[in-house]
Amino acid sequence: MFLALLELRAARGRFLLMGSVVVLVAALVGIVSGFTTGLGDDTISALRRLPASQLVFSSDARSDQFARSLLDEKTAAAWRADADTGTTPLGVSITRGTTNRGAEVDLAAFGVEPGSFLNPSVTDGEGLTDGKPDSIVMSAELADEGVRVGDTLIIDRLGIELRVVGLTERSAYGHVPVAYVPLKTWQRIRFSTPGAPASAAATIPDQFSALALRTPPAKTSAATLDARHSTTTLTKEKAYEAAPGYTGERVTMNSIQVFLYLIAPLVVGAFFAVWTVQRQPELALLRALGASRRRLLAHTVLQAALVVVLGTAAGAVLAGAVGLLVGEQVPFSLPATTLAGTMCTVVAVGLAGTVLTLRRVTRADPLTMLGANR
């Protein structure tokens, strides 16, 4: 160990350069991980918080189910009778509105039945009730955009006026803040025709995007019920893919992360391969003085571990600093557990790169120092 530390000090310029590369790679991996988590939260956090285990869609909607699926009350009643579990309708659509104070906002309207298990809890104000059909409970993200409890929100082009009665935790769908409205109000938003007379409200269909199941069906399997009622049942986690852009974003960000994991061992391995070639005379001298191959291996691995671990730790600090710097201006989320797991992976793949150099270390020939090559 003393010799390993002595070499690190003697060649500190080279090791600092290598350490800087590890710092940048680790920081980049951490930043990409933060954006991956942040983009995911900004796309499906509202779905993730739904207290439901499964979601039932119409069978003709095979992609973008929340936008394409439509179920009616007849199908919902049949499912209630057969599923033997708690069920409630859910409507999802993205719209736009303007408050009475001039704040223009985009929002993902989630239509729920007041009193159902999907009715959100509030952190400020009041929740949705049957007695207030034109009420709306907004995500805290809309409060950041200037919407306040007590404001009147007018849905653009439709003229539907909604009273903001409560505030719930931060959640989003498709990078748009979520607002919860009674199901009947959501149907007006979803199916109303811009400019249509008020009498046309009677023609609004009693339909919704999905049927939420509190627990999986108890008596009959979901596949059997799907075949019976012409529906498609997905677990809540599988339904994340129905959110706009979720799958594409995950594939893109995960691909970048994988390539960074592949780059790290190659960079570390290349450095230590060159370093080992340059140290062949010293390694041969140590062998001639009686050092075992095991000690030389430990010597090399220790140097690599110090460079990789210290560089990764500095990269983690840098990634965390970037997260604090960007704040809530961009969808960035890097919990401590995610950061720790990511950095451990960087250390593991970085040390794996040193395996490329171990064979040359063990092949150091003590006869080299006795003139065998002359």
Side-chain angles (χ1 to χ4, degrees):
M1 181 175 180
F2 174 76
L3 183 60
L5 296 176
L6 190 63
E7 283 190 338
L8 286 173
R9 180 180 179 182
R12 56 182 175 272
R14 298 179 186 180
F15 284 103
L16 284 175
L17 179 61
M18 182 58 209
S20 300
V21 175
V22 175
V23 169
L24 294 178
V25 171
L28 188 55
V29 172
I31 292 171
V32 171
S33 180
F35 278 118
T36 302
T37 305
L39 287 171
D41 289 343
D42 208 41
T43 304
I44 62 164
S45 59
L47 299 179
R48 187 181 291 138
R49 292 190 175 97
L50 289 177
S53 64
Q54 294 180 331
L55 293 169
V56 181
F57 301 95
S58 59
S59 58
D60 57 344
R62 294 180 173 84
S63 63
D64 300 328
Q65 286 90 341
F66 288 108
R68 299 182 179 182
S69 171
L70 285 177
L71 297 175
D72 54 25
E73 183 57 34
K74 180 180 178 181
T75 303
W79 260 89
R80 290 191 190 98
D82 296 341
D84 193 25
T85 184
T87 65
T88 187
L90 171 66
V92 177
S93 60
I94 295 178
T95 185
R96 184 177 178 84
T98 304
T99 68
N100 57 315
R101 293 188 293 107
E104 298 181 354
V105 294
D106 295 317
L107 64 146
F110 273 40
V112 300
E113 289 186 337
S116 70
F117 62 85
L118 292 186
N119 196 11
S121 59
V122 297
T123 57
D124 187 22
E126 303 175 355
L128 299 178
T129 59
D130 291 321
K132 298 180 180 179
D134 292 332
S135 58
I136 180 173
V137 173
M138 65 178 186
S139 164
E141 292 185 38
L142 287 172
D144 297 339
E145 299 183 22
V147 184
R148 298 290 181 268
V149 174
D151 287 355
T152 298
L153 180 69
I154 303 174
I155 302 300
D156 291 356
R157 300 190 305 145
L158 300 178
I160 299 174
E161 295 187 3
L162 303 174
R163 184 76 172 175
V164 181
V165 298
L167 182 70
T168 188
E169 58 186 344
R170 303 179 68 88
S171 58
Y173 169 80
H175 303 297
V176 180
V178 164
Y180 297 87
V181 297
L183 184 63
K184 293 294 183 182
T185 302
W186 176 85
Q187 290 169 344
R188 290 172 57 199
I189 296 173
R190 173 67 172 80
F191 299 112
S192 293
T193 302
S199 60
T203 64
I204 294 177
D206 188 14
Q207 295 179 323
F208 40 86
S209 303
L211 189 66
L213 308 182
R214 184 190 289 269
T215 59
K219 294 182 178 180
T220 309
S221 68
T224 301
L225 294 176
D226 285 337
R228 184 182 302 172
H229 303 299
S230 298
T231 56
T232 300
T233 302
L234 301 176
T235 63
K236 185 175 69 172
E237 291 73 19
K238 187 66 175 178
Y240 294 164
E241 299 176 5
Y246 177 75
T247 301
E249 289 173 355
R250 296 286 292 183
V251 170
T252 300
M253 301 306 291
N254 287 335
S255 298
I256 295 174
Q257 212 164 359
V258 169
F259 276 109
L260 290 174
Y261 285 142
L262 294 176
I263 290 172
L266 294 178
V267 171
V268 174
F271 171 81
F272 278 98
V274 174
W275 175 244
T276 302
V277 170
Q278 294 176 338
R279 293 165 56 235
Q280 281 298 302
E282 289 83 356
L283 294 174
L285 177 60
L286 291 173
R287 290 285 290 126
L289 292 175
S292 65
R293 289 186 174 88
R294 180 178 297 180
R295 176 165 294 185
L296 293 183
L297 287 175
H299 166 82
T300 303
V301 171
L302 177 61
Q303 286 183 337
L306 287 173
V307 173
V308 173
V309 171
L310 293 178
T312 302
V317 173
L318 182 58
V322 171
L324 294 176
L325 181 63
V326 299
E328 297 178 356
Q329 301 176 7
V330 296
F332 186 94
S333 177
L334 193 58
T337 54
T338 301
L339 179 60
T342 301
M343 294 302 109
C344 287
T345 305
V346 173
V347 170
V349 298
L351 292 178
T354 62
V355 174
L356 302 174
T357 68
L358 296 182
R359 183 180 179 185
R360 187 175 290 274
V361 171
T362 59
R363 291 173 59 188
D365 187 2
L367 293 178
T368 301
M369 300 310 299
L370 302 177
N373 292 332
R374 294 179 183 176

